[in-house]
């Protein structure tokens, strides 16, 4: 009897173990297929079967729960599982892109959010995607980096008065030496919405960090009792322009990006003002192409009292501007006004400065502007016209009119008038569906993708002669676009406004 009882207990234990590992295997398989809901249920089953300390110390289980919960926005599970997964895995071990992205999202879900830790995880995920040449995953990580930066950095707007009454709660009082030090103290405190200080300040003064969202005027009080408040902006009040420079006088110092924002916000309330700042990282610090929040860079603060700053193209520099973007400068600028070209039989247009004009696909062209790369991510402009799509999409979803008006060629059937110089210039970035800041690897990947899509052999079918003609036309344009953008010298000439196609037209 004892032997039979022991055998039954052992069989039950083996069955339980098999069930647990089956749940783990099913969860891993579902996760590999992208079925996050199903994978999450399998991992929860495995967690219940393991139970207690064994479940918390199971690396694969915790990592699976971390990825699924972050994707499904289950905040409590994501925060705890991702924290466990980070502590269980060795620091030197290489994590997958999905796990790094999930750990970054979990840090943003935490209370208070760990924006710096999230930025580091997203940065590591982008590096993993770059090593594996996974362009889509790299862009996903870069978009997450922008979201982390919105939490990591904070901008402030000066307002006369003291924090509004009501739900206001005093968090702390600090004695500081400067306004930028007060703003840094408020930015470091997630709940801080207003940094309030006296109007008349000495070398050292007291600042109140308050959980508030607005201010009330106190002009009825005596001057010594009045205060000024710096209110945290709901959205970061800075626009980022990569590969750009400002031609204006400025002061130079070594500081982090966050310190530069606080200094600029503090100076915005002075007569000199602040229009923004220019970052000039060293080659070593800028090796991976990202501006790290902890690193110090050579930064120039641009005063706002002088004439409006003009952005000009310049490699290795990055411009951060407060508020609205400045007008375009000579030689091509980040914000470029749209230009329309007219041809007999077709017309095109673009709204001034926005790059969102609609173009007639059957004739005419529109060279839409490439909008500024805001710090909140993405491109503001893009391309329109012959592609038949919205110019606000960086990737250009409307590819329909490629053959008819690509790159501003814009001639319509029966047209006798020659195209203008503006219409002659093709937008090779738009043809390959990449931005002007695209790397050589991104351009090569885009070329292979577009060439595969429009190769004549893949578009050859009975009764589809027009499609074949269109494919041959587009394939030649794609090849020429890569010939220009894939060559470093030709691309530099093209970016500087040189008509690189003039020798071909002269043949």
């Amino acid at each position: 009897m004892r032997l039979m009882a022991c055998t039954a207990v052992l069989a039950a234990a083996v069955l339980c173990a098999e069930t647990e590992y089956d749940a783990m295997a099913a969860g891993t398989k579902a996760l590999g297929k992208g079925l996050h809901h199903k994978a999450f249920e399998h991992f929860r089953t495995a967690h219940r079967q393991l139970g207690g300390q064994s479940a918390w110390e199971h690396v694969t289980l915790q990592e699976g729960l971390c990825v699924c919960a972050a994707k499904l926005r289950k905040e409590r599970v994501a925060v705890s599982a991702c924290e466990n997964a980070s502590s269980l895995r060795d620091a030197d071990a290489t994590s997958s892109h999905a796990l790094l992205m999930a750990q970054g999202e979990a840090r943003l879900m935490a209370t208070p959010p760990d924006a710096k830790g999230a930025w580091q995880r997203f940065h590591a995920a982008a590096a993993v995607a770059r090593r594996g040449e996974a362009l889509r995953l790299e862009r996903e990580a870069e978009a997450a980096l922008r979201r982390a930066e919105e939490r990591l950095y904070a901008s402030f707007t000066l307002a006369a008065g003291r924090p509004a009454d009501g739900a206001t709660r005093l968090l702390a009082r600090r004695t500081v030496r400067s306004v930028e030090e007060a703003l840094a103290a408020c930015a470091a405190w997630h709940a801080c919405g207003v940094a309030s200080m006296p109007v008349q300040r000495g070398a050292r003064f007291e600042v109140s960090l308050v959980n508030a969202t607005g201010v009330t005027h106190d002009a009825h009080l005596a001057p010594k009792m009045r205060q000024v408040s710096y209110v945290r902006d709901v959205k970061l009040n800075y626009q980022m322009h990569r590969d750009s420079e400002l031609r204006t006088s400025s002061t130079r110092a070594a500081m982090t990006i966050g310190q530069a924002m606080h200094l600029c916000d503090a100076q915005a309330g002075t007569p000199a003002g602040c229009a923004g700042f220019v970052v000039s990282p060293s080659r070593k610090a800028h090796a991976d192409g990202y501006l790290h929040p902890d690193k110090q860079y050579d930064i120039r603060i641009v005063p706002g009292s002088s004439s409006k700053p003009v952005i000009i193209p310049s490699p290795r520099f990055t411009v951060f501007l407060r508020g609205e973007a400045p007008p375009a400068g000579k030689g091509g600028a980040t914000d470029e006004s749209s230009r329309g070209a007219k041809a007999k039989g077709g017309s095109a247009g673009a709204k001034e400065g926005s790059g969102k004009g609609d173009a007639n696909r059957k004739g005419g062209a529109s060279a839409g502007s490439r909008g500024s790369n805001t710090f909140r991510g993405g491109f503001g402009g893009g391309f329109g016209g012959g592609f038949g799509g919205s110019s606000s999409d960086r990737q250009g979803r409307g590819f329909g009119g490629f053959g008819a008006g690509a790159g501003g060629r814009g001639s319509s059937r029966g047209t006798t008038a020659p195209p203008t110089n503006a219409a002659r210039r093709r937008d090779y970035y738009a043809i390959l569906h990449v931005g002007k800041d695209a790397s050589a690897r991104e351009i090569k990947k885009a070329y292979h993708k577009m060439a595969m899509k429009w190769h004549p052999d893949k578009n050859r079918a009975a009764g589809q002669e027009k499609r074949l003609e269109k494919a041959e036309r587009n394939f030649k344009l794609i090849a020429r676009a890569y010939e220009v953008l894939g060559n470093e010298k030709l691309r530099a000439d093209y970016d500087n406004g040189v008509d690189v196609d003039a020798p071909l037209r002269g043949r």
Side-chain angles (χ1 to χ4, degrees), residues 190-332:
H190 177 66
C192 180
V194 176
S196 182
M197 59 199 73
V199 175
Q200 300 178 2
R201 300 185 292 270
R204 295 173 66 91
F205 57 92
E206 188 178 76
V207 59
S208 299
L209 308 180
V210 184
N211 181 10
T213 57
V215 299
T216 56
H217 294 289
D218 55 359
H220 60 283
L221 299 177
K224 289 185 177 180
M225 300 293 294
R226 294 175 188 171
Q227 292 185 335
V228 292
S229 300
Y230 284 84
V231 183
R232 186 195 290 255
D233 297 324
V234 177
K235 289 187 177 181
L236 202 63
N237 192 27
Y238 283 89
Q239 290 182 328
M240 182 174 69
H241 305 260
R242 296 183 184 276
D243 299 327
S244 302
E245 170 66 295
L246 293 178
R247 284 181 178 168
T248 181
S249 59
S250 55
T251 57
R252 185 185 301 256
M255 64 187 81
T256 65
I257 302 296
Q259 289 172 342
M261 288 184 181
H262 301 327
L263 181 59
C264 188
D265 289 338
Q267 292 186 2
T270 64
C274 179
F277 56 93
V278 182
V279 184
S280 174
S282 64
R283 293 187 182 274
K284 183 177 180 181
H286 202 53
D288 61 353
Y290 295 97
L291 295 174
H292 292 250
D294 292 331
K295 291 184 178 179
Q296 287 195 340
Y297 299 102
D298 184 11
I299 293 180
R300 291 182 288 117
I301 303 296
V302 180
S305 58
S306 57
S307 58
K308 288 187 177 180
V310 177
I311 295 179
I312 59 173
S314 181
R316 289 188 55 252
F317 288 92
T318 302
V319 174
F320 288 82
L321 289 180
R322 290 187 88 250
E324 299 297 326
K330 275 190 174 183

Side-chain angles (χ1 to χ4, degrees), residues 26-149:
T28 305
K29 185 177 180 180
L31 184 59
K33 293 181 179 180
L35 305 175
H36 294 92
H37 283 281
K38 185 177 290 187
F40 184 71
E41 293 303 323
H42 286 308
F43 286 132
R44 284 183 63 185
T45 301
H47 191 281
R48 286 194 297 268
Q49 291 169 349
L50 277 172
Q53 193 70 18
S54 300
W56 289 109
E57 293 178 352
H58 201 295
V59 180
T60 306
L61 175 60
Q62 294 301 317
E63 290 181 352
L65 284 171
C66 169
V67 173
C68 294
K71 197 73 174 180
L72 300 175
R73 311 302 297 176
K74 297 181 182 293
E75 297 185 3
R76 291 180 60 184
V77 179
V79 171
S80 61
C82 291
E83 185 177 352
N84 289 338
S86 300
S87 61
L88 292 172
R89 182 177 284 271
D90 294 335
D92 298 333
T94 303
S95 299
S96 65
H97 176 273
L99 180 60
L100 290 169
M101 291 291 294
Q103 290 174 341
E105 295 290 353
R107 279 165 168 73
L108 290 181
M109 295 175 187
T111 306
D114 180 11
K116 184 178 293 186
W119 191 96
Q120 293 169 349
R121 293 291 174 173
F122 293 143
H123 177 260
V128 170
R130 194 180 304 111
R131 285 197 298 269
E133 295 193 354
L135 190 59
R136 180 183 64 82
L137 298 180
E138 184 179 347
R139 286 174 177 167
E140 180 185 340
E142 288 177 350
L145 275 171
R146 302 287 84 81
R147 287 191 290 107
E149 285 166 348

